[in-house]
Amino acid sequence: MKEKPDVLQGTLALMVLKTLDVLGPQHGWGIARRIEQISGDLLAVNQGTLYPLLLRLEHEDSIASEWGASENNRRARFYRLTAAGRKQLQAETREWEQTAAIIARFFKLKAEDLT
């Protein structure tokens, strides 16, 4: 069985913020499953990476959390996007789109383009 790669370093925060923006409040396990699902199960979200990131995003006021009951009626911490998190998401989306456009130009590059 082929092992799924972890999420690229530096991209997980953007994925978490976008997941919360689109789906609304989610608990940590739900965020991880949704990111994996959205990737077409090509990525694996490491729990040891996700929870420190959620804590960091909460300390930065990008997300907020509160305890609630999961769909299995288990106690879980639910995370939601804050106004500051929404601004961060917009800024990071612009940066990512700009980076992707630059990389795309390099992939299309031919030697004659530089002469």
Side-chain angles (χ1 to χ4, degrees), residues 25-38:
Q26 300 281 312
H27 50 71
W29 188 86
I31 293 169
R33 296 295 76 81
R34 290 299 186 179
I35 290 172
E36 291 171 355
Q37 179 186 28
I38 292 166

Side-chain angles (χ1 to χ4, degrees), residues 28-67:
W29 188 86
I31 293 169
R33 296 295 76 81
R34 290 299 186 179
I35 290 172
E36 291 171 355
Q37 179 186 28
I38 292 166
S39 78
D41 282 326
L42 295 174
L43 297 175
V45 177
N46 182 324
Q47 302 290 316
T49 303
L50 177 63
Y51 286 99
L53 172 67
L54 291 171
L55 187 61
R56 185 183 60 119
L57 290 172
E58 193 166 17
H59 283 213
E60 294 173 354
D61 293 325
S62 298
I63 62 174
S65 69
E66 62 184 330
W67 289 101

